[in-house]
Structures are given as C-alpha cells and as structure tokens.
Amino acid sequence: MATIYNIHPDTPQTRGIEQIVGALRDGAVMLYPTDTVYAIGCDLNVKSAVERVRQIKQLSNDKPLTFLCPSLSNIAQYAVVTDVAYRIMRNLIPGTYTFLLPATKLVPKLVMSPKRKTTGIRVPEHTVCQSLLQALGNPIISTSAHLEDRNGNAPTLGLEKAKLFDQVDKLVDLIVDIGSEPGDGVSTILDLTGEEPVIVRRGLGWEAATAWATSVS
C-alpha cells in the first residue's frame, strides 16, 4: 500500500518534499501530478526503479521514457541541443511540451530510444515538480499514469483522483496528493532531432509550438 503525501500545490512543505526525495533516492516509484496529467515516475539514475516503471506501464525496452528537467540549461547535460532547438525551447519552456532530442551519455540506455539514440525531455511549469527536481538534483521519469484495464483496453484520460489512486495504490511506493483532480491534457511533442522541427503530437499549447517551429524553420 502506497504512502500518501499531502503536498500544498503552491507552497510545497519542505519536510514532505525531502521525505519524497529520500524515498526516490532509495529506489521508490511514485504517482505524482504534473502540468499535464498525473504521472508515474522515479529517479532517472536508479535502474531498478526505472525497470519497475516499465513493468507498471507494460513497456518494452525499445519504448523510450520521457523525463523531467528543471530548466533549459539542465537539458543540455542530457541532450544535444542545436541552435534551432535552443531557440524553440527557450520560448516554450517551462510548459506542456515534450522535446525529442539526441541523447548524451548521461541518459541511461534503459530510458532512451535504442535505435534512434534519442530521448524525450520536459521542463514542467508546476511548482511541486520543480520542488522535487531541485531537491533531488536528478531528472525524474514522467510517464502518464493511465494504465490499461484488466481487459487490456486502452487507457483513458480524465479518471477521477480517487479511482486513479486506487488503481495504482499497490503498484507504487508513494502518492503525491495536491488536493485537486488530475488533468486530462497531454503534452505537445516536438521532434527536434532533424534539420527542421516536427510536431509529432498536438497536445496542450500546440498552437504556440507550431508558431515557434515555423518561425525558425
């Protein structure tokens, strides 16, 4: 049964954040809110925890995992950022965007796309996420918490918080509860690995992403 941490959405309690971060360093897997949907995550650098996230989501090793970074400067440690990519991200970060970029050696193989050697990175505009990232000092895995049902049906967005918590209670070690219902909007995905930016998925804020991608092409 997961431990629930009630965290204030605007002024996260330092003690609560420190307890969560301590658990993440020890290999915990958590359910936590982001600026899009609730996500399942862990410390990027704890292999056993990343493996558990894959098991929970039933993801094969050839499916890359997205992770959160606190800032644009932090992204440069984990991805190769061209001038074009930098200009686009500078104007969209922080926000509801996932950027596909060539991975550096700091990205664990268990996280990146094995064929393309790429990775998906987000910089969230969410106070609790940012507090966790700053306190942990490492990126945090972020994959939507919407799971297939017992009949193998595709996951659906907009699941009520109580039902979502009940669904994952025995799968994760801790749950971060900020009191509000989960969001139901997905991130916009931009592929910045080629010469020109490509919007792979239209999600929240896709209009702004389209405008910036067009302006630098």
Side-chain angles (χ1 to χ4, degrees):
M1 189 171 183
T3 301
I4 297 179
Y5 290 88
N6 294 296
I7 301 296
H8 194 282
D10 301 316
T11 55
Q13 303 92 320
T14 301
R15 177 174 172 78
I17 294 296
E18 290 177 346
Q19 289 175 330
I20 294 168
V21 165
L24 293 176
R25 288 179 178 144
D26 288 337
V29 172
M30 67 175 173
L31 173 72
Y32 69 107
T34 71
D35 50 356
T36 53
V37 298
Y38 259 80
I40 294 173
C42 64
D43 185 332
L44 175 76
N45 293 331
V46 180
K47 182 180 179 181
S48 60
V50 176
E51 290 173 339
R52 282 184 57 202
V53 171
R54 285 195 173 280
Q55 291 171 358
I56 292 170
K57 288 284 291 187
Q58 300 180 32
L59 295 174
S60 60
N61 287 345
D62 63 347
K63 299 292 185 182
L65 288 168
T66 295
F67 58 89
L68 307 182
C69 283
S71 67
L72 178 55
S73 60
N74 195 249
I75 285 180
Q77 300 179 48
Y78 298 91
V80 178
V81 180
T82 64
D83 290 342
V84 170
Y86 177 83
R87 289 200 298 274
I88 292 174
M89 291 190 293
R90 182 186 62 189
N91 288 284
L92 295 176
I93 286 175
T96 56
Y97 305 97
T98 299
F99 304 103
L100 303 182
L101 296 158
T104 68
K105 293 182 179 180
L106 288 182
V107 179
K109 291 182 179 179
L110 193 60
V111 174
M112 73 171 70
S113 170
K115 293 182 179 180
R116 299 184 66 199
K117 305 298 183 184
T118 59
T119 192
I121 304 179
R122 288 192 57 210
V123 176
E125 190 173 20
H126 193 283
T127 303
V128 173
C129 287
Q130 285 290 344
S131 295
L132 290 170
L133 288 164
Q134 295 292 345
L136 181 63
N138 290 328
I140 296 174
I141 293 294
S142 178
T143 179
S144 76
H146 303 287
L147 312 176
E148 291 184 351
D149 64 21
R150 295 176 181 176
N151 298 317
N153 295 320
T156 57
L157 297 174
L159 194 65
E160 293 179 0
K161 184 176 71 171
K163 293 181 179 179
L164 177 61
F165 285 10
D166 182 65
Q167 185 182 45
V168 303
D169 181 57
K170 296 180 180 179
L171 302 176
V172 301
D173 302 301
L174 57 95
I175 294 174
V176 181
D177 185 359
I178 60 171
S180 59
E181 288 294 320
D184 60 2
V186 297
S187 66
T188 292
I189 301 177
L190 292 91
D191 188 337
L192 302 179
T193 61
E195 294 183 2
E196 295 187 359
V198 177
I199 294 182
V200 178
R201 181 180 72 188
R202 289 186 176 185
L204 296 173
W206 69 268
E207 298 93 342
T210 299
W212 282 110
T214 302
S215 69
V216 300
S217 298

